[in-house]
Amino acid sequence: MATEIPDIVIGRLPLYLRALTHLAEKGQTTTSSHELGQRLGISSAQIRKDLSHFGEFGKQGTGYHINFLIDQLRHILHLNLVWSIAIVGAGYLGHALAHYQGFEQRGFRVAWVFDNDPQRVGETVNGVEVRHINDMIACLREEHVQMALLAVPTEAAQETADMLIEAGITAILSYAPINLKVPVGVQVQYSDPVVQMQRMTYYLNATAQYPET
Amino acid sequence: MATEIPDIVIGRLPLYLRALTHLAEKGQTTTSSHELGQRLGISSAQIRKDLSHFGEFGKQGTGYHINFLIDQLRHILHLNLVWSIAIVGAGYLGHALAHYQGFEQRGFRVAWVFDNDPQRVGETVNGVEVRHINDMIACLREEHVQMALLAVPTEAAQETADMLIEAGITAILSYAPINLKVPVGVQVQYSDPVVQMQRMTYYLNATAQYPET
DNA sequence: CTAGAATTGTGAAAAGTTGCACGAATGGTT
DNA sequence: AACCATTCGTGCAACTTTTCACAATTCTAG
Ligand SMILES: NC(=O)c1ccc[n+]([C@@H]2O[C@H](COP(=O)([O-])OP(=O)(O)OC[C@H]3O[C@@H](n4cnc5c(N)ncnc54)[C@H](O)[C@@H]3O)[C@@H](O)[C@H]2O)c1
Ligand SMILES: NC(=O)c1ccc[n+]([C@@H]2O[C@H](COP(=O)([O-])OP(=O)(O)OC[C@H]3O[C@@H](n4cnc5c(N)ncnc54)[C@H](O)[C@@H]3O)[C@@H](O)[C@H]2O)c1
C-alpha cells in the first residue's frame, strides 16, 4: 500500500475529482464506485482499486461521502493550497487561458503573464499586467512559482522552456506542438489539438466527407 | 498483422508524424527508430513495433526515409485529404482556435464557426463568418462535416454535443470540463488544462511555494 | 570483395493494468 | 431479529503493453 503509485492512477484522480465536484454542485451527498464509473466510462472495480492505493474512503453498502472524498483527493493531489502559475505568451491562446474561469475553483491562480512584444507589455489581461519576458526569471524565482503554461510560438518554445527552468519552474503545460528537452525532475504535459484530432481521423471514414468524389 | 490495432498505438502515430515533419523541415531525409525515440522519449523498440502493425517501412542499416514514412502515416491516419471542421462557441477559446495556424498544414480546415450570441453572429473570425447555432444542424448535415471542436460554456456543452450528433458529427474534441454522454460510434477527446495541471501537482512539493508558512 | 557497424522487424519474456468474484460490512424493511 | 439489497476492498487471473535480444539485411570503407 505504501509502494510507488502508478502514474496512470494519478492521472485518473483529477477526473474523479472533477466528477465528484460536479455531483456535489448538483446537491448530491453520496455516490458509489458504480455511479462514478458510469459517468466516467470507467469500471467500478478500477475506481475502487485506484482509491484503495491511498486508504479506505468508502463504506460497504453506502458508497462514498462525496465531500469527504473530494477533500481526500484534494489532499492527495496537493490541491489544499492555491498554486500560483505563470502564462508565457499573451497571444490568442494566452488571452484565452488568462480569462479561463475554471482555475480559481480548482486550485490555481494566474499570477503572472509574460510576453516579449513591447506592444503587449503593460496591457492588463483579466486583471493581470503583462510583464516583459526579460523580467521573467527574476519574478518567478523570487516568488517560488513552480508551474507555467507555455503559449509562445513554436520556434520560441524551447528557448522559453529553458528560461522557465532557469527560473525554477518544475512543471510545464506546453501548447507548442514540439517535444521539449528538459532536465530530469521537470514535468511536462502537452496539449496539441491536432494530435487529438488526428487520433480520431483514423477511425473516420474518409469518403464520407466528399461523397461525390 | 491484419488484427485489430490497439488504440494506444494509433494514439502515438500523430506524435511520430509531428516529429518526422519537424525533421523534414530541418532538411533531414532519413532517421532511425533510435533517433525518433530519443526526441519523443519513447523506446526505439516501441516505435518499430508500432510501425510494424502497418507494414515494413524501414531498411536495415539505414533506418526510415522521412518523407516516405510521413506519407505512410498520413495515409494510415486518413490525412491524405483535408478535413473540414466546425468550431462551436466563438468566445475566447473559440477565437484562439479559429486563429490557430497549425491546422492547414496538418490536415484540417476551419470551415464553420457557430455561436448563439446575436452580437457575435455575423462577425468574421480569421476569414470565417460566425453563424447562428440554430443554423448549425442544417449546415453541417449538408456538408457532411464529421468533426467539431466544442468551446461553449460548460452548462451548454451536453446540449450542444447532442445537436452536433444530430448534425451527423462523429468526432468531437471538447474543451468543456465535463464528461459528455454520446452514442456509440461517436468519438470524443477531451482537453482540460486543469486536469493536466492537477496531474502534475501530485509530484510537486507543496511547501516550496510558500517557504515561510 | 570482405569486414564491420548500423539498424530493422519480430518472437518471446517481462512488466504493467484491468476485470472478476467474493467475503465482509452496512443500512433498510418486514 | 432476520433477511435482503448494496457496496466496498482485494487476491488472483486475464489481458495488454513494453522491453529484450537476435537473425537478417544494408551500407561504408578499406
Ligand atoms: N491558438 C490556438 O488555439 C492554439 C491551439 C493549440 C496550440 N497553440 C500553440 O500555442 C502557441 C501560441 O499560439 P497563439 O495562437 O496564441 O499565437 P500568437 O501568435 O497569437 O501568440 C504568441 C504570443 O507569444 C509572444 N511571443 C513570441 N515570442 C516570444 C518569446 N520569445 N517570449 C515571450 N513571448 C513571445 C508573441 O508576442 C505573442 O503575443 C503556438 O505554439 C501555437 O502553436 C495555439
Ligand atoms: N479559455 C480557456 O483557455 C479555456 C481553457 C480550457 C477550457 N475552456 C472551456 O472552454 C469553454 C469556453 O471557454 P471560453 O473561455 O471561450 O468561454 P467564453 O464565455 O469566452 O465563450 C463561450 C462562447 O460560447 C457561446 N455560447 C454560449 N452558449 C452557447 C450555446 N448554447 N450555443 C452556442 N454558443 C454558445 C457564448 O456566446 C460565447 O461566445 C468553457 O467550457 C471553458 O470551460 C476554456
Side-chain angles (χ1 to χ4, degrees):
Chain A
M1 195 217 266
T3 55
E4 205 66 23
I5 291 159
D7 280 3
I8 199 163
V9 171
I10 303 300
R12 281 190 292 260
L13 300 185
L15 301 175
Y16 300 164
L17 180 56
R18 196 175 75 176
L20 287 164
T21 308
H22 190 72
L23 289 174
E25 276 167 8
K26 291 202 312 177
Q28 207 171 318
T29 61
T30 64
T31 187
S32 65
S33 58
H34 187 73
E35 183 185 37
L36 212 48
Q38 284 259 296
R39 299 191 149 258
L40 292 167
I42 287 178
S43 82
S44 60
Q46 177 142 85
I47 291 175
R48 293 199 300 278
K49 183 148 277 175
D50 283 355
L51 295 176
S52 76
H53 282 101
F54 303 96
E56 310 201 349
F57 303 130
K59 231 181 202 166
Q60 282 110 324
T62 314
Y64 301 91
H65 191 294
I66 291 177
N67 283 333
F68 174 74
L69 189 49
I70 286 176
D71 274 357
Q72 294 297 311
L73 287 173
R74 283 228 184 93
H75 187 259
I76 292 164
L77 292 170
H78 301 160
L79 298 169
N80 37 355
L81 50 75
V82 175
W83 293 90
S84 287
I85 63 165
I87 294 175
V88 193
Y92 284 106
L93 188 58
H95 272 76
L97 291 168
H99 280 96
Y100 181 45
Q101 295 307 302
F103 288 134
E104 293 289 336
Q105 307 126 53
R106 299 167 75 192
F108 301 92
R109 185 177 132 256
V110 177
W112 303 94
V113 177
F114 299 97
D115 204 293
N116 74 341
D117 181 348
Q119 294 270 300
R120 286 249 151 86
V121 173
E123 187 186 319
T124 295
V125 184
N126 199 22
V128 181
E129 186 190 335
V130 178
R131 305 285 304 268
H132 196 277
I133 191 83
N134 290 349
D135 302 337
M136 185 170 79
I137 293 178
C139 288
L140 300 185
R141 265 241 186 82
E142 189 168 326
E143 308 276 329
H144 301 277
V145 180
Q146 292 190 65
M147 187 179 294
L149 311 189
L150 188 55
V152 300
T154 310
E155 313 78 59
Q158 181 65 59
E159 55 180 295
T160 310
D162 294 344
M163 289 176 67
L164 285 169
I165 288 156
E166 204 184 326
I169 292 283
T170 53
I172 298 174
L173 170 50
S174 173
Y175 287 88
I178 58 160
N179 280 81
L180 299 175
K181 286 205 196 77
V182 299
V184 292
V186 175
Q187 303 181 73
V188 184
Q189 293 268 322
Y190 295 96
S191 180
D192 182 349
V194 176
V195 165
Q196 294 182 290
M197 291 156 75
Q198 290 179 342
R199 258 170 216 198
M200 296 195 284
T201 53
Y202 174 80
Y203 301 96
L204 291 182
N205 180 351
T207 60
Q209 191 179 351
Y210 305 112
E212 5 278 313
T213 342
Chain B
M1 195 219 265
T3 55
E4 206 66 23
I5 291 158
D7 280 3
I8 198 160
V9 172
I10 303 300
R12 281 189 292 261
L13 301 185
L15 301 175
Y16 300 164
L17 180 56
R18 197 175 74 175
L20 288 164
T21 308
H22 190 72
L23 289 175
E25 276 166 7
K26 292 202 311 175
Q28 206 172 320
T29 60
T30 63
T31 188
S32 65
S33 59
H34 187 75
E35 182 185 39
L36 212 48
Q38 284 259 296
R39 301 193 147 255
L40 292 167
I42 287 178
S43 81
S44 60
Q46 178 143 85
I47 291 175
R48 294 199 300 278
K49 181 141 277 175
D50 283 354
L51 295 176
S52 76
H53 283 101
F54 303 95
E56 310 200 349
F57 304 130
K59 232 182 201 165
Q60 282 112 322
T62 314
Y64 300 91
H65 191 294
I66 292 178
N67 283 333
F68 174 74
L69 189 49
I70 287 175
D71 274 358
Q72 295 298 311
L73 287 173
R74 284 228 183 95
H75 187 257
I76 291 164
L77 292 170
H78 301 160
L79 297 169
N80 37 355
L81 50 75
V82 176
W83 295 89
S84 287
I85 62 165
I87 293 175
V88 193
Y92 284 107
L93 189 58
H95 272 76
L97 291 168
H99 281 95
Y100 181 45
Q101 295 307 302
F103 287 134
E104 294 289 335
Q105 307 126 53
R106 297 167 74 192
F108 301 93
R109 187 178 130 254
V110 177
W112 304 93
V113 177
F114 299 98
D115 205 292
N116 74 341
D117 181 348
Q119 294 268 299
R120 287 249 151 85
V121 173
E123 188 186 319
T124 295
V125 185
N126 199 20
V128 181
E129 187 190 335
V130 178
R131 305 286 304 267
H132 196 277
I133 190 87
N134 290 347
D135 302 337
M136 185 171 80
I137 293 178
C139 288
L140 300 185
R141 266 241 186 83
E142 189 168 323
E143 307 277 329
H144 301 277
V145 180
Q146 291 188 67
M147 187 179 293
L149 311 189
L150 189 54
V152 300
T154 311
E155 314 78 60
Q158 181 64 59
E159 55 181 293
T160 310
D162 294 343
M163 288 176 68
L164 284 169
I165 288 156
E166 202 185 328
I169 292 283
T170 53
I172 298 175
L173 171 51
S174 173
Y175 287 87
I178 58 160
N179 279 81
L180 299 174
K181 286 206 196 78
V182 299
V184 292
V186 175
Q187 303 180 74
V188 184
Q189 294 268 321
Y190 296 96
S191 180
D192 181 350
V194 176
V195 165
Q196 293 182 289
M197 291 156 75
Q198 291 179 341
R199 259 171 215 197
M200 296 195 285
T201 52
Y202 175 80
Y203 302 96
L204 290 183
N205 180 352
T207 60
Q209 191 179 351
Y210 305 113
E212 6 276 314
T213 345

